[in-house]
Amino acid sequence: MPYQTIQSESNPKFKRWKKMAQSARAIRAERATLAEGAHLAQTALERDIKVQAVLLRAKGLNNEAAALLEKFLQKGVQAFVLDSLLFDAISPVEHGAGLMIEISLPTVQRPRAMSTDVLYLDGIQDPGNIGTLIRTAVASGVHSIASSPECAHFWSPKALRAGMGAHFAAALYENVKPQELRELFDARILAADARGGSDLYLSEGWEAGHTVWMMGSEGQGLSQAALAVTDERLYIPIDHDCESLNVSAAAAVCLFEQRRRRLTQKR
């Protein structure tokens, strides 16, 4: 079987993968990242994503992962079998499929006054939330996602795992300052802000035209810089027994309310 075995943590390839697993800086420098699991591997195959290597856990693969491995080998992708402890050291999950792929990051040019719907993430630090937000946006029909310089990296292994393949269907723009949004996107800027504004459900007309929905960090909410460029602030009316929503849940409420209104208007 055409693969190489890696059993030492001093192996240069393993050291490189470990840096990518732990550091957004390494991912940016290498222009590559690690994606764990059969679903991401299958999505990469379907979307013809450039795969640099397949990483396998020495303990063995389930039938689904083995079938995917064969497809990568047929494409000429090199496979590496890692000692189980080494594989676990770089995997974003404890009990995965025993398969990871190294993928090249796409090159995305910043738009200029593009007319499209956008989800903007302001200072969100949790990679799991980042991935879930990308997945939620794509599911709602929003395929452009931008993030502030303070956000966690879009392409970290944990964010990819949470995104479940949605990264490959989205245009992702990192390090976008709030004041740059009007230059990049021709859309009305809406702030999801629990501190005030208009009721999401009672307010009318905000869904007209293209929108940039801004979602703030888990603890602090939207920054003052983000609020300064907002056209309208909207809040989700929640029951008084609950203090707040997770940012991913809040984004789902706002984006799918937008989708619902637009679909209703088309009838």
Side-chain angles (χ1 to χ4, degrees):
M1 190 175 186
Y3 59 70
Q4 294 183 23
T5 300
I6 296 178
Q7 297 179 315
S8 170
E9 62 183 12
S10 63
N11 180 282
K13 290 186 180 295
F14 173 75
K15 290 168 70 174
R16 175 174 171 270
W17 292 324
K18 188 173 182 180
K19 287 180 180 178
M20 290 162 56
Q22 297 176 342
S23 167
R25 180 177 297 180
I27 292 172
R28 292 188 177 100
E30 297 288 343
R31 296 296 304 162
T33 189
L34 299 174
E36 190 280 336
H39 181 79
L40 287 177
Q42 180 64 45
T43 305
L45 282 168
E46 292 171 354
R47 294 186 174 272
D48 202 25
I49 302 300
K50 186 175 182 180
V51 176
Q52 303 280 20
V54 180
L55 285 60
L56 311 170
R57 195 173 192 273
K59 263 192 170 181
L61 304 174
N62 59 30
N63 291 338
E64 181 182 18
L68 289 168
L69 171 61
E70 184 61 32
K71 292 179 181 180
F72 284 117
L73 293 175
Q74 289 173 2
K75 286 177 168 287
V77 180
Q78 193 168 15
F80 298 85
V81 175
L82 278 64
D83 176 87
S84 296
L85 291 177
L86 298 184
F87 187 95
D88 293 344
I90 61 175
S91 174
V93 295
E94 289 188 20
H95 304 290
L99 179 148
M100 279 188 280
I101 55 175
E102 178 190 332
I103 61 172
S104 299
L105 299 193
T107 300
V108 180
Q109 298 295 327
R110 284 196 176 192
R112 185 170 184 84
M114 182 168 63
S115 295
T116 189
D117 291 318
V118 183
L119 176 64
Y120 180 71
L121 312 181
D122 183 38
I124 295 172
Q125 294 296 306
D126 182 83
N129 275 340
I130 291 285
T132 302
L133 285 158
I134 293 171
R135 185 180 182 185
T136 298
V138 171
S140 74
V142 177
H143 291 262
S144 294
I145 300 101
S147 65
S148 71
E150 296 78 22
C151 274
H153 192 27
F154 278 152
W155 293 98
S156 73
K158 288 183 179 179
L160 270 166
R161 174 75 181 186
M164 293 298 287
H167 285 68
F168 304 138
L172 304 175
Y173 308 99
E174 293 191 295
N175 298 312
V176 175
K177 297 178 181 178
Q179 56 268 34
E180 296 176 308
L181 288 171
R182 294 195 187 280
E183 176 185 340
L184 301 181
F185 305 108
D186 181 15
R188 195 155 179 262
I189 300 178
L190 306 177
D193 187 6
R195 294 166 292 192
S198 302
D199 186 310
L200 175 77
Y201 297 114
L202 298 181
S203 183
E204 298 181 356
W206 55 258
E207 75 283 358
H210 294 297
T211 63
V212 175
W213 265 106
M214 299 197 301
M215 300 288 157
S217 66
E218 295 87 342
Q220 301 300 316
L222 288 167
S223 64
Q224 289 303 311
L227 290 173
V229 302
T230 299
D231 291 313
E232 185 173 0
R233 294 163 62 198
L234 295 157
Y235 68 88
I236 300 169
I238 61 176
D239 193 271
H240 62 83
D241 286 330
C242 183
E243 181 181 348
S244 63
L245 287 175
N246 172 275
V247 63
S248 300
V253 170
C254 295
L255 294 179
F256 278 93
E257 173 61 12
Q258 175 173 275
R259 184 176 178 88
R260 183 195 68 79
R261 289 185 179 208
R262 291 174 176 175
L263 290 173
T264 300
Q265 291 165 6
K266 288 181 181 180
R267 292 177 181 175

